[in-house]
Amino acid sequence: MAEQPTNTSHSPPSFKVVTGADSFGCNLKDALISHLKSLNIEVEDLGVSSYYSVAAEVGRRVSADPLSTRGLVACGTGVGVSIFANKFPGVFAATCLTAGDAQNARSINNCNVLAVSGMSTAPEAAVEILDTWLSTPFKSPCPASDSKPWPPEIESFLDASVQEMSKIGAVVDDTCAICCLAKSREFKDIDMIPGGSMKIVRETPTSAVVRFKAGSVEPAHHHTFGHDLVVLKGRKRVWNLSKNDKYDLVVGDYLFTPAGDVHRVKYFEDTEFFIKWDGHWDMFFDEDLTAAKAAIDKESENGSA
């Protein structure tokens, strides 16, 4: 077996590592965070959530700052988190079960998000995988190259592939049914809530694309109808005050809010979502905007935002 590279540098890398896991991968994630910190590598831990939500958020962070950010995600198999992290342009996530996998992923794919399996990988093996991933340069010799330097024509292909792959997902697909239905319609401001606008896509059942500017707040309110929504862009938090629960939503997340449930919303980024409901639109406020912002600020001060 070819000798694996080790991280012998005395100075930490110039990038930070954003981490996240679901309940099946949280213990392995925490063990690897400890190892990263022992190497003086900056870590931003997003904690534990559903594998699709937390992996998507890690992918979003890496996509937004690929030069100085890498990702580490964990779930039961390491596959689900890899799939959802990869939904963002410029993110190259790979599930690695061995150090050889990590070496190949870095050399061939310039992998910038490492996905690991909490159910099948022991902490000691995961540390070896992580060290290999950290210390292997792009296009370096790896098991796939028989531990020899890549020939010039393969190096050229790898360089071009990374540039081409980074563009995938960055362009809106005009074949998307939602985009086609909404394209010819204009967004209209939501007079009741500053920062919001809506474009009706179809009627009965009614569906719409809604946008809110970063920092916007929807005061606590309820409807006579339940509604389904899917986040298309950005990041938001929904407090369901009737159920004393809250949901952090990013791209791809779905939420159903039953009729009559009182809920408050904050938008942390420019956000767009698709929403569907039955019946005529109505909105009944249970607090004003000032009270809503005060409640959110108070939660933030208490360290739970």
Side-chain angles (χ1 to χ4, degrees):
M1 178 178 177
E3 182 179 352
Q4 303 295 340
T6 56
N7 194 348
T8 58
S9 173
H10 294 289
S11 59
S14 59
F15 54 80
K16 73 174 179 180
V17 178
V18 181
T19 68
D22 70 0
S23 58
F24 294 99
C26 61
N27 291 336
L28 188 59
K29 170 187 71 73
D30 291 343
L32 294 179
I33 287 175
S34 296
H35 183 65
L36 287 168
K37 290 181 176 179
S38 75
L39 300 175
N40 294 318
I41 295 175
E42 180 185 356
V43 177
E44 181 182 358
D45 183 25
L46 302 184
V48 179
S49 185
S50 62
Y51 73 89
Y52 45 86
S53 294
V54 75
E57 180 62 13
V58 170
R60 188 190 67 80
R61 302 282 184 99
V62 174
S63 178
D65 190 13
L67 294 179
S68 59
T69 308
R70 287 197 195 177
L72 169 65
V73 288
C75 65
T77 65
V79 175
V81 283
S82 176
I83 289 172
F84 281 91
N86 270 322
K87 289 185 177 291
F88 295 83
V91 173
F92 312 122
T95 303
C96 298
L97 302 181
T98 67
D101 289 345
Q103 200 174 358
N104 285 336
R106 284 289 305 139
S107 174
I108 300 169
N109 306 112
N110 199 25
C111 171
N112 52 13
V113 175
L114 174 64
V116 292
S117 166
M119 295 176 63
S120 62
T121 305
E124 296 80 8
V127 166
E128 182 184 4
I129 292 168
L130 177 58
D131 280 342
T132 302
W133 181 74
L134 290 169
S135 60
T136 301
F138 178 48
K139 300 184 296 181
S140 62
C142 63
S145 70
D146 198 22
S147 298
K148 299 176 182 178
W150 292 105
E153 64 272 18
I154 298 297
E155 282 206 20
S156 177
F157 167 79
L158 295 176
D159 283 330
S161 68
V162 168
Q163 297 299 319
E164 292 170 3
M165 288 189 297
S166 297
K167 299 175 184 178
I168 296 174
V171 179
V172 175
D173 183 0
D174 286 340
T175 63
C176 169
I178 295 174
C179 296
C180 290
L181 285 169
K183 185 180 295 184
S184 62
R185 306 187 185 201
E186 294 183 0
F187 280 88
K188 295 183 179 180
D189 290 341
I190 302 174
D191 295 332
M192 296 180 288
I193 309 175
S197 59
M198 178 187 293
K199 178 189 291 186
I200 299 295
V201 175
R202 61 172 291 181
E203 303 280 356
T204 314
T206 308
S207 56
V209 177
V210 180
R211 292 175 176 170
F212 273 94
K213 295 179 180 178
S216 298
V217 171
E218 293 185 59
H221 62 279
H222 64 278
H223 309 280
T224 58
F225 51 81
H227 55 76
D228 307 83
L229 68 83
V230 177
V231 178
L232 305 175
K233 171 186 174 183
R235 183 166 66 99
K236 62 186 285 189
R237 174 173 291 174
V238 179
W239 289 265
N240 188 315
L241 304 180
S242 297
K243 292 183 169 58
N244 193 29
D245 208 346
K246 64 182 177 183
Y247 311 93
D248 288 309
L249 306 178
V250 295
V251 176
D253 282 348
Y254 162 85
L255 179 67
F256 173 72
T257 302
D261 275 17
V262 177
H263 52 290
R264 179 192 298 132
V265 187
K266 179 168 182 178
Y267 298 88
F268 297 97
E269 301 173 0
D270 288 350
T271 301
E272 184 172 301
F273 55 92
F274 176 76
I275 185 171
K276 171 182 172 295
W277 68 89
D278 290 316
H280 296 289
W281 175 261
D282 60 34
M283 192 170 190
F284 302 95
F285 286 99
D286 298 276
E287 66 180 356
D288 60 28
L289 185 59
T290 300
K293 290 182 177 179
I296 293 171
D297 290 343
K298 183 177 180 180
E299 179 176 301
S300 180
E301 290 171 1
N302 291 335
S304 57

Coordinates of all heavy atoms in Angstrom, one line a residue, residues 131-196:
D131 N -6.5 13.8 8.1 CA -5.1 14.3 7.9 C -4.7 14.2 6.4 O -4.0 15.1 5.9 CB -4.1 13.5 8.8 CG -4.1 14.0 10.2 OD1 -4.6 15.1 10.4 OD2 -3.7 13.2 11.1
T132 N -5.1 13.1 5.8 CA -4.7 12.9 4.4 C -5.4 13.9 3.5 O -4.8 14.5 2.6 CB -5.1 11.5 3.9 OG1 -4.5 10.5 4.7 CG2 -4.8 11.2 2.5
W133 N -6.7 14.2 3.8 CA -7.5 15.2 3.1 C -6.8 16.6 3.2 O -6.8 17.4 2.3 CB -8.9 15.1 3.6 CG -9.8 16.1 2.9 CD1 -10.4 16.0 1.7 CD2 -10.4 17.3 3.5 NE1 -11.3 17.0 1.4 CE2 -11.3 17.8 2.5 CE3 -10.3 17.9 4.7 CZ2 -12.0 19.0 2.8 CZ3 -11.0 19.1 5.0 CH2 -11.8 19.6 4.0
L134 N -6.4 16.9 4.4 CA -5.8 18.2 4.7 C -4.5 18.4 4.0 O -4.1 19.5 3.5 CB -5.6 18.4 6.2 CG -6.9 18.6 7.0 CD1 -6.5 18.5 8.5 CD2 -7.6 19.9 6.7
S135 N -3.7 17.3 3.9 CA -2.3 17.4 3.4 C -2.1 17.1 2.0 O -1.0 17.2 1.5 CB -1.4 16.6 4.3 OG -1.8 15.2 4.2
T136 N -3.1 16.6 1.3 CA -2.9 16.2 -0.1 C -3.3 17.4 -1.1 O -4.4 17.9 -1.1 CB -3.9 15.0 -0.5 OG1 -3.5 13.9 0.4 CG2 -3.7 14.6 -1.9
P137 N -2.3 17.8 -1.9 CA -2.6 18.9 -2.8 C -3.3 18.4 -4.1 O -3.3 17.2 -4.4 CB -1.2 19.4 -3.3 CG -0.2 18.8 -2.3 CD -0.9 17.5 -1.8
F138 N -4.0 19.3 -4.7 CA -4.7 19.0 -6.0 C -3.7 18.5 -7.0 O -2.6 19.1 -7.1 CB -5.4 20.2 -6.4 CG -6.1 20.1 -7.8 CD1 -7.0 19.0 -8.0 CD2 -6.0 21.1 -8.7 CE1 -7.6 18.9 -9.2 CE2 -6.7 21.0 -9.9 CZ -7.5 19.9 -10.2
K139 N -4.0 17.5 -7.8 CA -3.1 16.9 -8.8 C -1.9 16.2 -8.3 O -1.0 15.9 -9.1 CB -2.8 18.0 -9.9 CG -3.9 18.7 -10.5 CD -3.5 19.7 -11.6 CE -2.7 20.8 -11.0 NZ -2.3 21.8 -12.0
S140 N -1.8 15.9 -7.0 CA -0.6 15.2 -6.5 C -0.7 13.7 -6.8 O -1.8 13.2 -7.1 CB -0.5 15.5 -5.0 OG -1.6 15.0 -4.3
P141 N 0.3 13.0 -6.7 CA 0.3 11.5 -6.9 C -0.7 10.9 -5.8 O -0.8 11.4 -4.7 CB 1.7 11.1 -6.6 CG 2.5 12.2 -6.9 CD 1.7 13.4 -6.5
C142 N -1.5 9.9 -6.3 CA -2.5 9.3 -5.4 C -2.6 7.9 -5.9 O -2.1 7.4 -6.9 CB -3.8 10.1 -5.5 SG -4.5 10.0 -7.2
P143 N -3.4 7.1 -5.1 CA -3.6 5.7 -5.5 C -4.1 5.5 -6.9 O -3.8 4.6 -7.7 CB -4.6 5.2 -4.5 CG -4.3 5.9 -3.3 CD -4.0 7.3 -3.8
A144 N -5.0 6.5 -7.4 CA -5.6 6.4 -8.7 C -4.5 6.6 -9.8 O -4.7 6.1 -10.9 CB -6.7 7.4 -8.9
S145 N -3.4 7.3 -9.5 CA -2.3 7.5 -10.4 C -1.2 6.5 -10.2 O -0.1 6.7 -10.7 CB -1.8 8.9 -10.3 OG -1.1 9.1 -9.1
D146 N -1.5 5.4 -9.4 CA -0.5 4.5 -9.0 C 0.7 5.1 -8.3 O 1.8 4.7 -8.4 CB 0.1 3.7 -10.3 CG 0.8 2.4 -9.9 OD1 0.5 1.9 -8.8 OD2 1.6 2.0 -10.7
S147 N 0.3 6.2 -7.5 CA 1.2 6.9 -6.7 C 2.4 7.6 -7.5 O 3.4 7.8 -6.9 CB 1.8 6.0 -5.5 OG 0.8 5.6 -4.7
K148 N 2.1 7.8 -8.8 CA 3.0 8.5 -9.6 C 2.5 9.8 -10.1 O 1.2 10.0 -10.0 CB 3.3 7.6 -10.9 CG 3.9 6.3 -10.5 CD 4.1 5.4 -11.8 CE 4.6 4.1 -11.5 NZ 4.7 3.2 -12.7
P149 N 3.3 10.8 -10.4 CA 2.8 12.1 -10.9 C 1.9 11.9 -12.1 O 2.1 11.0 -13.0 CB 4.1 12.8 -11.3 CG 5.2 12.2 -10.5 CD 4.8 10.8 -10.4
W150 N 0.8 12.7 -12.2 CA -0.1 12.6 -13.4 C 0.7 13.1 -14.6 O 1.4 14.1 -14.6 CB -1.3 13.5 -13.1 CG -2.2 13.1 -12.1 CD1 -2.4 13.6 -10.8 CD2 -3.1 12.0 -12.1 NE1 -3.3 12.9 -10.1 CE2 -3.8 11.9 -10.9 CE3 -3.5 11.1 -13.1 CZ2 -4.8 11.0 -10.6 CZ3 -4.5 10.1 -12.9 CH2 -5.1 10.1 -11.6
P151 N 0.4 12.5 -15.8 CA 1.0 12.9 -17.0 C 0.4 14.3 -17.4 O -0.7 14.7 -16.9 CB 0.6 11.9 -18.0 CG -0.5 11.1 -17.4 CD -0.3 11.2 -15.9
P152 N 1.1 15.1 -18.2 CA 0.7 16.5 -18.5 C -0.7 16.6 -19.0 O -1.5 17.5 -18.7 CB 1.7 16.9 -19.5 CG 3.0 16.1 -19.2 CD 2.5 14.8 -18.8
E153 N -1.1 15.6 -19.9 CA -2.4 15.7 -20.5 C -3.5 15.5 -19.4 O -4.6 16.1 -19.5 CB -2.6 14.7 -21.6 CG -2.5 13.2 -21.2 CD -1.1 12.6 -21.2 OE1 -0.1 13.5 -21.2 OE2 -0.9 11.4 -21.3
I154 N -3.3 14.6 -18.4 CA -4.2 14.5 -17.3 C -4.3 15.7 -16.4 O -5.4 16.1 -16.0 CB -3.9 13.2 -16.5 CG1 -4.0 11.9 -17.4 CG2 -4.9 13.1 -15.3 CD1 -5.3 11.7 -18.0
E155 N -3.1 16.3 -16.1 CA -3.1 17.5 -15.3 C -3.9 18.6 -16.0 O -4.7 19.3 -15.4 CB -1.7 18.0 -15.1 CG -0.9 17.2 -14.1 CD 0.2 18.1 -13.4 OE1 0.1 19.3 -13.6 OE2 1.1 17.5 -12.8
S156 N -3.7 18.7 -17.3 CA -4.5 19.7 -18.1 C -6.0 19.5 -18.0 O -6.8 20.4 -17.9 CB -4.0 19.7 -19.6 OG -4.8 20.6 -20.3
F157 N -6.4 18.2 -18.1 CA -7.8 17.8 -18.0 C -8.3 18.2 -16.6 O -9.4 18.7 -16.5 CB -8.0 16.4 -18.3 CG -9.3 15.8 -17.9 CD1 -10.4 16.1 -18.7 CD2 -9.5 15.2 -16.7 CE1 -11.7 15.6 -18.3 CE2 -10.8 14.7 -16.3 CZ -11.9 14.9 -17.1
L158 N -7.6 17.9 -15.6 CA -8.0 18.2 -14.2 C -8.2 19.7 -14.0 O -9.2 20.1 -13.4 CB -7.0 17.6 -13.2 CG -6.9 16.1 -13.2 CD1 -5.8 15.6 -12.2 CD2 -8.2 15.4 -12.8
D159 N -7.3 20.5 -14.5 CA -7.4 21.9 -14.4 C -8.7 22.4 -15.0 O -9.4 23.2 -14.5 CB -6.2 22.6 -15.0 CG -5.0 22.6 -14.1 OD1 -5.1 22.5 -12.9 OD2 -3.9 22.6 -14.7
A160 N -8.9 21.9 -16.2 CA -10.1 22.4 -17.0 C -11.4 21.9 -16.3 O -12.4 22.6 -16.3 CB -10.0 21.9 -18.4
S161 N -11.4 20.7 -15.8 CA -12.6 20.1 -15.2 C -13.0 20.9 -14.0 O -14.2 21.1 -13.8 CB -12.4 18.6 -14.8 OG -11.5 18.5 -13.7
V162 N -12.1 21.4 -13.2 CA -12.5 22.1 -12.0 C -13.1 23.4 -12.4 O -14.2 23.9 -11.8 CB -11.3 22.4 -11.1 CG1 -11.6 23.4 -10.0 CG2 -10.8 21.1 -10.4
Q163 N -12.6 24.1 -13.4 CA -13.2 25.4 -13.9 C -14.6 25.1 -14.4 O -15.5 25.9 -14.2 CB -12.3 26.0 -15.0 CG -10.9 26.4 -14.5 CD -11.0 27.4 -13.4 OE1 -11.8 28.3 -13.4 NE2 -10.1 27.3 -12.4
E164 N -14.8 24.0 -15.2 CA -16.1 23.8 -15.8 C -17.1 23.3 -14.8 O -18.2 23.7 -14.8 CB -15.9 22.7 -16.9 CG -15.1 23.1 -18.1 CD -14.8 22.0 -19.0 OE1 -15.2 20.9 -18.7 OE2 -14.1 22.3 -20.0
M165 N -16.6 22.5 -13.8 CA -17.6 22.0 -12.8 C -18.1 23.2 -11.9 O -19.2 23.2 -11.4 CB -16.9 21.0 -11.9 CG -16.7 19.6 -12.6 SD -16.2 18.3 -11.5 CE -14.6 18.9 -10.9
S166 N -17.2 24.2 -11.7 CA -17.6 25.3 -10.8 C -18.8 26.1 -11.4 O -19.5 26.8 -10.7 CB -16.4 26.3 -10.6 OG -15.4 25.6 -9.9
K167 N -19.0 26.0 -12.7 CA -20.0 26.8 -13.4 C -21.4 26.0 -13.3 O -22.4 26.7 -13.5 CB -19.7 27.0 -14.9 CG -18.4 27.8 -15.1 CD -18.0 27.9 -16.5 CE -16.7 28.6 -16.7 NZ -16.3 28.7 -18.2
I168 N -21.3 24.7 -13.0 CA -22.6 24.0 -13.0 C -23.4 24.4 -11.8 O -22.9 24.5 -10.6 CB -22.3 22.5 -12.9 CG1 -21.6 22.0 -14.1 CG2 -23.6 21.7 -12.7 CD1 -21.1 20.5 -14.1
G169 N -24.7 24.7 -12.0 CA -25.6 25.1 -11.0 C -25.6 26.6 -10.8 O -26.5 27.2 -10.1
A170 N -24.7 27.4 -11.4 CA -24.6 28.8 -11.2 C -25.6 29.5 -12.1 O -26.0 30.7 -11.9 CB -23.2 29.3 -11.5
V171 N -26.1 28.9 -13.2 CA -27.0 29.4 -14.2 C -28.4 28.9 -13.9 O -28.6 27.7 -13.8 CB -26.5 29.1 -15.6 CG1 -27.5 29.7 -16.6 CG2 -25.1 29.7 -15.8
V172 N -29.4 29.8 -13.9 CA -30.8 29.3 -13.7 C -31.2 28.5 -14.9 O -31.0 28.9 -16.0 CB -31.7 30.6 -13.5 CG1 -33.2 30.1 -13.4 CG2 -31.3 31.3 -12.3
D173 N -31.8 27.4 -14.6 CA -32.3 26.5 -15.7 C -33.6 27.0 -16.2 O -34.6 26.9 -15.5 CB -32.4 25.1 -15.1 CG -32.8 24.1 -16.2 OD1 -33.0 24.5 -17.3 OD2 -32.9 22.9 -15.8
D174 N -33.7 27.4 -17.4 CA -34.9 28.0 -18.0 C -36.0 26.9 -18.2 O -37.1 27.2 -18.5 CB -34.6 28.7 -19.3 CG -34.0 30.0 -19.1 OD1 -34.0 30.5 -18.0 OD2 -33.3 30.5 -20.0
T175 N -35.6 25.6 -18.0 CA -36.6 24.5 -18.2 C -37.4 24.3 -16.9 O -38.3 23.5 -16.9 CB -35.9 23.2 -18.6 OG1 -35.0 22.8 -17.6 CG2 -35.2 23.4 -19.9
C176 N -37.0 25.0 -15.8 CA -37.6 24.8 -14.5 C -39.1 25.3 -14.7 O -39.4 26.4 -15.1 CB -36.9 25.6 -13.4 SG -37.8 25.7 -11.9
A177 N -40.0 24.4 -14.3 CA -41.5 24.7 -14.4 C -41.8 26.0 -13.7 O -42.6 26.8 -14.1 CB -42.3 23.5 -14.0
I178 N -41.3 26.1 -12.4 CA -41.7 27.3 -11.6 C -41.2 28.5 -12.3 O -41.9 29.6 -12.4 CB -41.1 27.1 -10.2 CG1 -41.8 25.9 -9.5 CG2 -41.3 28.4 -9.4 CD1 -41.2 25.6 -8.1
C179 N -39.9 28.5 -12.8 CA -39.3 29.7 -13.4 C -40.1 30.1 -14.6 O -40.3 31.3 -14.9 CB -37.8 29.4 -13.8 SG -36.8 29.2 -12.3
C180 N -40.5 29.1 -15.4 CA -41.2 29.4 -16.7 C -42.6 30.0 -16.4 O -43.0 30.9 -17.1 CB -41.4 28.1 -17.5 SG -39.8 27.5 -18.2
L181 N -43.3 29.5 -15.4 CA -44.6 30.0 -15.0 C -44.5 31.4 -14.5 O -45.4 32.2 -14.7 CB -45.3 29.1 -14.0 CG -45.8 27.7 -14.5 CD1 -46.2 26.9 -13.3 CD2 -47.0 28.0 -15.4
A182 N -43.4 31.7 -13.8 CA -43.3 33.0 -13.1 C -42.6 34.1 -14.0 O -42.7 35.2 -13.6 CB -42.6 32.8 -11.8
K183 N -42.0 33.7 -15.0 CA -41.0 34.6 -15.8 C -41.7 35.8 -16.2 O -41.2 36.9 -16.1 CB -40.4 33.8 -16.9 CG -39.4 34.6 -17.7 CD -38.8 33.8 -18.8 CE -38.0 32.7 -18.4 NZ -37.4 31.9 -19.5
S184 N -43.0 35.7 -16.8 CA -43.6 36.9 -17.4 C -44.4 37.7 -16.4 O -45.0 38.7 -16.8 CB -44.5 36.4 -18.5 OG -45.6 35.6 -18.0
R185 N -44.4 37.4 -15.1 CA -45.1 38.1 -14.1 C -44.2 38.9 -13.3 O -43.1 38.5 -13.0 CB -45.9 37.1 -13.3 CG -46.8 36.2 -14.1 CD -47.7 35.3 -13.2 NE -48.4 34.4 -14.0 CZ -49.6 33.8 -13.7 NH1 -50.1 34.1 -12.5 NH2 -50.1 32.9 -14.4
E186 N -44.7 40.0 -12.8 CA -43.9 40.9 -12.0 C -44.1 40.7 -10.5 O -45.2 40.4 -10.0 CB -44.2 42.4 -12.3 CG -43.9 42.8 -13.7 CD -44.2 44.3 -14.0 OE1 -44.7 44.9 -13.1 OE2 -44.0 44.7 -15.1
F187 N -43.0 40.9 -9.7 CA -43.2 40.8 -8.3 C -43.8 42.1 -7.8 O -43.5 43.2 -8.2 CB -41.8 40.7 -7.6 CG -41.2 39.3 -7.6 CD1 -40.5 38.9 -8.7 CD2 -41.5 38.5 -6.6 CE1 -40.0 37.6 -8.7 CE2 -41.0 37.2 -6.6 CZ -40.2 36.7 -7.7
K188 N -44.8 42.0 -6.9 CA -45.5 43.1 -6.3 C -45.1 43.2 -4.8 O -45.1 42.1 -4.1 CB -47.0 43.0 -6.5 CG -47.4 43.0 -7.9 CD -48.9 43.0 -8.1 CE -49.3 43.1 -9.5 NZ -50.8 43.0 -9.7
D189 N -44.9 44.4 -4.3 CA -44.6 44.5 -2.9 C -45.7 44.0 -2.0 O -46.9 44.2 -2.3 CB -44.3 46.0 -2.6 CG -43.0 46.5 -3.2 OD1 -42.2 45.7 -3.6 OD2 -42.9 47.8 -3.3
I190 N -45.3 43.4 -0.9 CA -46.2 43.1 0.2 C -46.4 44.2 1.1 O -45.5 44.5 1.9 CB -45.8 41.8 0.9 CG1 -45.5 40.6 -0.1 CG2 -46.8 41.4 2.0 CD1 -44.9 39.4 0.6
D191 N -47.5 45.0 0.9 CA -47.6 46.3 1.7 C -47.6 46.1 3.2 O -47.1 47.0 3.9 CB -49.0 46.9 1.3 CG -49.0 47.3 -0.2 OD1 -47.9 47.6 -0.8 OD2 -50.1 47.4 -0.8
M192 N -48.1 44.9 3.7 CA -48.2 44.7 5.1 C -46.8 44.5 5.8 O -46.7 44.6 7.0 CB -49.1 43.6 5.4 CG -50.6 43.8 4.9 SD -51.6 42.4 5.3 CE -51.1 41.2 4.1
I193 N -45.8 44.0 5.0 CA -44.5 43.7 5.5 C -43.4 44.3 4.7 O -43.2 43.9 3.6 CB -44.4 42.1 5.6 CG1 -45.5 41.5 6.2 CG2 -43.1 41.8 6.3 CD1 -45.5 40.0 6.2
P194 N -42.7 45.3 5.3 CA -41.6 45.9 4.6 C -40.5 44.9 4.1 O -40.2 44.0 4.9 CB -41.0 46.9 5.6 CG -42.1 47.1 6.6 CD -42.9 45.8 6.6
G195 N -40.0 45.0 2.9 CA -39.0 44.2 2.4 C -39.4 43.0 1.7 O -38.6 42.2 1.1
G196 N -40.8 42.7 1.6 CA -41.3 41.5 1.0 C -42.0 41.8 -0.4 O -42.5 42.9 -0.5

